[in-house]
Amino acid sequence: MPDSCSDQTETEQKHSRNIITALSKLADENLTLVRSISTGLAVAGVIIIARSIRLMTKFSSPSEIPARFIERNVSIRGKVRSVTERGLEVEHIPIHVPLLSSLLTKRQVATPLRVCLAGVDLTPQGRDWLTETLKTDEAVWLRLISRQDESLHCLVSLSGGFLFNTCINEEILLLGLGRTAPLHGLDPHSRLYWRLHARLLKCELRAERKGQGLWKQENLREKVTQAIRNNTVITAIKRIIKWMSRTKDQ
């Protein structure tokens, strides 16, 4: 019985050595393939790290944003710095990774990005509303639509909780504080262009139907009052009455 156990153990050891020998021989015969696989994995790792670093990089100019971010309409986070004639100035907030982010941000200058509200032509009242609604350092999300010169055309969203976000572009049109405009930098024949344009146009039509903002209709009393004020005959009569009153007093 002990002899049979010993024979079985020797057989198992011999089998294990044969497997190891076969694997070693296979590796030697396919050394180039093994090296290629190792190189491929290393390159893939470098690419992943490089992409991660781009996500952790603070963008201070539209030209620094990778083209693929624009093409895929990636959303980036930022905080409002000021309201401008055409939109906003927003400081980009990159993805934070402990240790690595602190090393990268030491060499980066906090220059805000110039952001235009994609598909919206702001009115002066719209700019006033933006100033009141978006406080300094307010966190916003920028969905990148296109890049033109040194400006980004974006859908700007204000976080309203876990599930709800307020799209500033749509809100301005719903309140009648702006008009729809061409989506600069997008192909007018593309599906994205027509999908976004239809979405914004729907908001503008709702504001027009409700008489919001610039679409507000004056009621009959206001129209009559304004017509009387602007009537030249009535203005002349008022002047004569004033002149006669002065003459009488003298």
Side-chain angles (χ1 to χ4, degrees):
M1 189 72 177
D3 291 338
S4 62
C5 290
S6 177
D7 292 340
Q8 186 177 357
T9 303
E10 289 178 2
T11 303
E12 289 176 354
Q13 290 177 350
K14 187 181 291 184
H15 182 65
S16 299
R17 285 196 296 270
N18 290 338
I19 292 174
I20 294 171
T21 303
L23 290 173
S24 300
K25 186 178 180 181
L26 181 64
D28 291 337
E29 291 175 352
N30 298 277
L31 187 59
T32 304
L33 178 62
V34 172
R35 286 177 177 173
S36 299
I37 293 172
S38 300
T39 304
L41 291 173
V43 170
V46 170
I47 291 173
I48 292 171
I49 292 171
R51 288 189 174 184
S52 299
I53 289 174
R54 293 300 290 168
L55 291 172
M56 290 182 285
T57 301
K58 174 174 279 191
F59 302 127
S60 57
S61 170
S63 58
E64 295 178 0
I65 299 176
R68 69 176 185 276
F69 281 31
I70 308 287
E71 293 166 1
R72 297 176 184 176
N73 307 124
V74 171
S75 292
I76 61 175
R77 193 163 172 260
K79 52 186 175 183
V80 176
R81 284 304 181 206
S82 64
V83 176
T84 64
E85 188 74 16
R86 297 186 61 192
L88 305 168
E89 282 192 338
V90 178
E91 182 183 339
H92 174 226
I93 302 175
I95 293 175
H96 180 76
V97 176
L99 298 178
L100 189 56
S101 292
S102 58
L103 292 173
L104 290 171
T105 51
K106 285 180 181 178
R107 296 173 292 176
Q108 296 171 357
V109 181
T111 304
L113 300 166
R114 284 191 291 179
V115 176
C116 297
L117 300 177
V120 176
D121 184 14
L122 272 175
T123 63
Q125 293 77 17
R127 284 189 287 275
D128 293 340
W129 182 85
L130 281 176
T131 304
E132 294 174 4
T133 304
L134 301 177
K135 307 301 181 184
T136 303
D137 290 339
E138 185 95 43
V140 293
W141 284 95
L142 308 176
R143 185 185 175 192
L144 305 174
I145 301 301
S146 64
R147 173 171 49 198
Q148 189 178 42
D149 299 328
E150 284 302 309
S151 297
L152 291 170
H153 291 264
C154 306
L155 292 180
V156 182
S157 295
L158 187 63
S159 181
F162 181 69
L163 294 175
F164 301 101
N165 288 329
T166 301
C167 179
I168 299 298
N169 307 55
E170 293 181 353
E171 197 66 22
I172 283 176
L173 293 174
L174 286 169
L175 295 172
L177 301 176
R179 294 181 175 86
T180 54
L183 291 158
H184 298 287
L186 280 184
D187 180 7
H189 303 291
S190 66
R191 290 180 62 186
L192 177 62
Y193 184 99
W194 286 107
R195 188 170 71 247
L196 291 178
H197 189 65
R199 176 177 159 187
L200 296 173
L201 189 60
K202 184 178 178 181
C203 295
E204 184 181 61
L205 291 174
R206 284 179 61 185
E208 188 175 356
R209 283 198 300 267
K210 292 182 178 180
Q212 296 279 13
L214 60 90
W215 308 109
K216 183 179 179 181
Q217 298 291 330
E218 294 179 339
N219 58 37
L220 182 60
R221 183 177 178 180
E222 289 175 339
K223 288 182 178 180
V224 171
T225 304
Q226 191 65 29
I228 292 172
R229 287 176 181 173
N230 296 334
N231 191 290
T232 54
V233 175
I234 293 176
T235 303
I237 292 172
K238 286 181 178 179
R239 287 177 180 174
I240 292 171
I241 293 172
K242 286 182 180 179
W243 178 79
M244 290 177 66
S245 298
R246 290 174 187 169
T247 305
K248 187 177 180 180
D249 292 338
Q250 291 176 356

